[in-house]
Amino acid sequence: MNHEDMASAPYPAGQPVVGDVVAVGAIRPQAGDLVTVRSRIDPQVEFNTRLTLSVPDGTWKAVVFSIERAGQRLAEFGGVRLEDEVEISMDHFASVLRCMPAH
């Protein structure tokens, strides 16, 4: 993600619903999916993000909607704040929750 190469925007039209947790190595992420990324500075810190846009070099833009360390919520860590837009490389995804549009 930005600031340290780790990684609540509203959903796009067609409100998504929560889907399945997907094995990270087997996915093709889509805008709207929820992604958790662990900090490289402190592996107990997790950034929960919503993917917004695929970038041509294989990374994703995402918006940070929560930051946690050992179960405690943080407003900021490593220069990244809630609602910041960040860039995340897929190889930094710790988990993915697939969100699908409601029909």
Side-chain angles (χ1 to χ4, degrees):
M1 294 181 149
N2 75 349
H3 302 298
E4 66 164 304
D5 288 336
M6 37 134 226
S8 7
Y11 285 97
Q15 294 291 320
V17 295
V18 175
D20 297 325
V21 175
V22 182
V24 173
I27 69 154
R28 290 188 181 178
Q30 299 176 3
D33 289 350
L34 306 178
V35 173
T36 299
V37 179
R38 287 191 187 90
S39 167
R40 288 198 262 173
I41 295 170
D42 181 346
Q44 290 187 12
V45 174
E46 291 185 342
F47 297 85
N48 296 301
T49 68
R50 180 175 320 286
L51 299 179
T52 57
L53 179 68
S54 178
V55 181
D57 67 0
T59 61
W60 280 86
K61 290 195 182 248
V63 175
V64 177
F65 66 87
S66 76
I67 305 170
E68 295 183 8
R69 182 177 194 280
Q72 293 200 333
R73 291 188 171 266
L74 305 174
E76 179 271 334
F77 182 83
V80 177
R81 299 183 193 289
L82 295 176
E83 299 187 19
D84 277 357
E85 183 175 61
V86 295
E87 285 192 19
I88 312 169
S89 174
M90 275 188 59
D91 57 343
H92 293 126
F93 289 11
S95 67
V96 176
L97 181 62
R98 173 66 43 101
C99 293
M100 299 167 275
H103 297 313

